[in-house]
Amino acid sequence: MDTNAVIDNVTAFAPGRANLIGEHTDYNDGLALPFAIEDGVTVEATALGEPRIAAEAVDLDERDEFELDDPDRSSGWKSFVRGIAAELQSAGYEVPGAELRMTGSVPRGAGLSSSAALEVALALALLALAGGAEPDRLELAKLCSKVEREWVGAQTGLLDQIASLFGERDRALRIDFRTLDVRPVALELGAFKLVTLDSGEHHDIATSGYNQRREECAEACRELGIESLRDATLEQAAALPEPLDRRVTHVLTENTRVEEAVAALERGDLEAIGGLLDASHASLRDCYEVSTEAVESAWRRLHDAGALGARIVGGGFGGNVIGLMPPDAAIPKGALEIAPGDGARVVS
Ligand code: GLA
């Protein structure tokens, strides 16, 4: 008898993330300052004893089934399950046949990374069910991001997966995407509050302008003869043709804003964070052009409610706006208070 095969049921949880600042910098070898949120995706995995996956998206009341040796392509949430099962196997991990029940509390398509939460929770559940040691979390982040690129068609970077896997309570994470150095930075809000407000416009990264923005950055690199925009200067950016000049300007100034935000948090200057959020938003709207009418109206609502600063969060083209509320301001109607929570984990 195989004495390793004693686990027959596990539950894993992975949080979504908010990004305090540093948007569209991850795939440009830049800097970002995200944090894991309390909401996320829970995956319960039960051993099946045969090499197939039977998955249920409980909130959607939808099911999927496939053989582990032939996961084949699909669409929607099914692509994530099939992609994770396939990529774990091709990376050499054992993936046991399993019944998977998925439930989520992160709104889908709202810029809070329900996708990464799903990928990470699936991977942790399947790996725990197999009973092996947990792999290196950076390797896991890369594997999950590969699923998004190659199975879902969204050419995303590593921001969401690293935030979900490395999140810590009461801390944001300063991530350097060139070195993949992840440094927790205390995010002590005191009586201040961070909120997100849904613009009501939902986005799908694979079909929004996201991939086009990524291609524009690659084109700017080709024009400048550099490997990544981390090596570009503002002078070089200004000499590029429209709209590449503005795209690169956004990425470079956003990296600087991340460093300024880290410094502001370290000296406890939340007022300065407000100004940086507004500056980031203006750059995302005017230079990177990922805002929309609905997002602008959510941004104005946060300011009308007294926000010290606010900005679009995530890929853009809809989704959520994050705002920093001072102690005396009430949380605007419809907004959700968020705070840095723990990273992904096997719960039982
Ligand atoms: C999405 C992607 C991330 C990142 C952000 C923009 O959330 O999944 O990789 O590029 O957009 O900062």
Side-chain angles (χ1 to χ4, degrees):
M1 203 183 113
D2 180 359
T3 47
N4 286 328
V6 286
I7 301 172
D8 61 8
N9 185 276
V10 300
T11 301
F13 170 83
R17 63 99 192 90
N19 192 8
L20 190 60
I21 200 157
E23 218 66 86
H24 291 277
T25 47
D26 62 346
Y27 53 85
N28 287 307
D29 279 355
L31 304 171
L33 192 58
F35 58 91
I37 58 175
E38 301 282 352
D39 287 316
V41 172
T42 300
V43 175
E44 187 189 342
T46 307
L48 262 182
E50 34 186 294
R52 69 186 169 86
I53 297 287
E56 181 186 0
V58 177
D59 308 322
L60 302 174
D61 194 20
E62 286 179 13
R63 283 164 193 74
D64 188 28
E65 264 201 56
F66 58 92
E67 301 299 318
L68 271 172
D69 61 0
D70 183 24
D72 217 352
R73 303 277 150 170
S74 190
S75 59
W77 65 271
K78 298 175 186 173
S79 308
F80 291 95
V81 186
R82 289 166 179 248
I84 289 289
E87 294 302 332
L88 282 174
Q89 291 183 101
S90 31
Y93 297 107
E94 186 199 334
V95 176
E99 215 171 80
L100 303 172
R101 284 187 90 246
M102 293 162 282
T103 50
S105 55
V106 198
R108 281 183 297 280
L112 294 173
S113 207
S114 51
S115 311
L118 176 58
E119 295 150 19
V120 171
L122 281 166
L124 286 185
L126 285 170
L127 289 167
L129 195 65
E134 192 189 285
D136 178 79
R137 288 205 162 200
L138 269 182
E139 291 313 313
L140 207 51
K142 290 182 195 163
L143 186 143
C144 291
S145 153
K146 185 172 182 209
V147 169
E148 226 163 284
R149 283 180 280 112
E150 297 184 9
W151 289 75
V152 181
Q155 300 306 314
T156 56
L158 285 169
L159 172 75
D160 311 338
Q161 293 81 6
I162 292 183
S164 181
L165 280 157
F166 288 82
E168 288 184 29
R169 185 158 302 274
D170 299 329
R171 287 184 164 73
L173 303 170
R174 177 198 180 274
I175 308 172
D176 182 332
F177 291 95
R178 166 159 275 182
T179 57
L180 291 183
D181 175 60
V182 180
R183 175 158 70 88
V185 179
L187 179 50
E188 277 154 16
L189 291 164
F192 290 75
K193 291 180 194 76
L194 280 170
V195 299
T196 59
L197 183 61
D198 192 346
S199 69
E201 187 175 9
H202 284 199
H203 68 182
D204 175 356
I205 286 202
T207 53
S208 72
Y210 183 95
N211 289 348
Q212 188 198 349
R213 290 292 173 279
R214 198 166 171 156
E215 178 45 38
E216 287 167 348
C217 291
E219 194 184 329
C221 285
R222 288 193 291 274
E223 292 254 347
L224 294 173
I226 53 178
E227 282 285 306
S228 99
L229 291 187
R230 188 71 178 268
D231 298 321
T233 63
L234 282 171
E235 292 68 38
Q236 286 176 316
L240 284 166
E242 258 290 305
L244 301 187
D245 54 349
R246 284 178 297 128
R247 305 292 189 253
V248 179
T249 299
H250 165 73
V251 173
L252 299 182
T253 56
E254 188 76 349
N255 285 338
T256 305
R257 282 185 287 270
V258 171
E259 293 295 35
E260 288 172 1
V262 170
L265 288 184
E266 283 171 348
R267 61 175 194 273
D269 182 358
L270 287 169
E271 304 273 336
I273 297 287
L276 290 166
L277 296 185
D278 278 340
S280 170
H281 184 76
S283 178
L284 287 159
R285 181 190 59 217
D286 303 333
C287 293
Y288 221 66
E289 294 183 287
V290 293
S291 189
T292 64
E293 273 306 309
V295 167
E296 289 308 307
S297 119
W299 184 87
R300 277 191 300 272
R301 279 178 54 206
L302 286 177
H303 270 284
D304 290 347
L308 289 173
R311 59 173 213 86
I312 189 166
V313 64
F317 303 100
N320 273 31
V321 176
I322 187 170
L324 177 65
M325 310 303 294
D328 51 353
I331 296 181
K333 196 161 173 280
L336 190 77
E337 185 173 355
I338 48 171
D342 292 323
R345 58 208 176 261
V346 174
V347 186
S348 64

